[in-house]
Amino acid sequence: GAQVAALAARTRARRKLLAEVRKSVKTYQAAEAQLARERERSEAALRRLIAGAEEERARKRGEGGVAPERTSGAFAGLRGRLPWPVRGQVAGRFGRVQDPALKTWTFNRGIEIEVAEGVPVQAVAAGRVEAVDWFRGYGWFALVGHGDGYYTLYAHLSETAVRIGDRVRAGEGVGMSGNTGTLDQRSRLHFEVLKGSEPEDPLAWLTR
């Protein structure tokens, strides 16, 4: 009798544990799906932000003023030679990726680099800080314009070290690594290279 009761108790405990696991997985999946939707809205906001920066630059040129940068092809010439913003393993690559839990496909506009929290994140080239903000799916980020329509974006920062309008040199800090704006508990840097608002594979730009 005692053996049967113990077995029944273990079975009930196992069922309860499985129910809790299923519930937590469903909660996580719902949160991931919501984050994906909000990330799409954030990407649209980022495109509008870049379009605004490009319009402002064109307006200044039209008024005969000095554009924020006069690089004339300087950044484009750095393809394959940019220094890494942080040192670390690439944990997420550019392009279409499948969520292992949701089995849904999304497009990763940049790469994720594994890095401990609080590590200085460095600008990969000289430029002007066009935006410092917090977006869902990006967390704290800094957007740097390099001229000729090129931008780099540094996201999931734990803190930022620059303000809009700041000029930065290659290797100068833009913030500290973290995991803001994501459900992931691990710290990693999300890094993008953009031509206008269109993303390009950062691995084609960074030094091997």
Side-chain angles (χ1 to χ4, degrees):
Q3 214 171 10
V4 172
L7 182 61
R10 282 201 297 274
T11 301
R12 283 195 300 274
R14 226 177 0 250
R15 281 178 184 157
K16 185 181 177 184
L17 179 63
L18 280 171
E20 287 173 355
V21 167
R22 286 193 191 103
K23 185 180 177 183
S24 66
V25 166
K26 283 183 179 178
T27 302
Y28 176 78
Q29 288 175 338
E32 274 284 357
Q34 177 65 21
L35 184 63
R37 287 192 293 272
E38 291 179 351
R39 191 182 291 119
E40 284 179 8
R41 287 196 287 270
S42 294
E43 288 170 1
L46 184 63
R47 285 193 290 272
R48 289 193 297 272
L49 195 155
I50 290 173
E54 288 296 300
E55 285 172 11
E56 176 67 12
R57 190 171 287 107
R59 184 184 64 78
K60 286 189 175 181
R61 279 198 297 267
E63 291 175 356
V66 178
E69 309 88 16
R70 287 199 179 279
T71 54
S72 62
F75 187 82
L78 295 173
R79 181 183 288 269
R81 297 193 291 119
L82 288 180
W84 287 64
V86 292
R87 289 183 178 275
Q89 293 292 319
V90 175
R93 289 181 175 267
F94 175 85
R96 290 183 77 236
V97 290
Q98 186 179 37
D99 186 293
L102 299 174
K103 304 302 181 190
T104 54
W105 290 90
T106 56
F107 188 87
N108 188 2
R109 292 167 56 87
I111 59 171
E112 273 66 49
I113 305 171
E114 287 186 353
V115 60
E117 187 168 353
V119 172
V121 175
Q122 300 174 337
V124 296
R128 179 183 184 272
V129 178
E130 299 291 350
V132 177
D133 210 336
W134 192 97
F135 282 176
R136 185 75 166 154
Y138 284 91
W140 285 108
F141 70 88
L143 177 73
V144 180
H146 303 286
D148 299 319
Y150 284 103
Y151 298 84
T152 52
L153 182 136
Y154 313 78
H156 301 325
L157 303 176
S158 59
E159 58 182 276
T160 56
V162 289
R163 293 178 297 180
I164 295 172
D166 283 355
R167 302 298 181 97
V168 293
R169 300 182 303 276
E172 191 171 346
V174 295
M176 297 289 187
S177 59
N179 64 352
T180 58
T182 175
L183 295 175
D184 203 326
Q185 296 302 305
R186 292 169 294 179
S187 175
R188 55 181 56 184
L189 176 72
H190 177 77
F191 174 65
E192 296 183 13
V193 176
L194 304 117
K195 172 65 171 169
S197 59
E198 292 303 310
E200 299 193 2
D201 187 353
L203 292 180
W205 286 86
L206 298 169
T207 54
R208 297 295 178 190

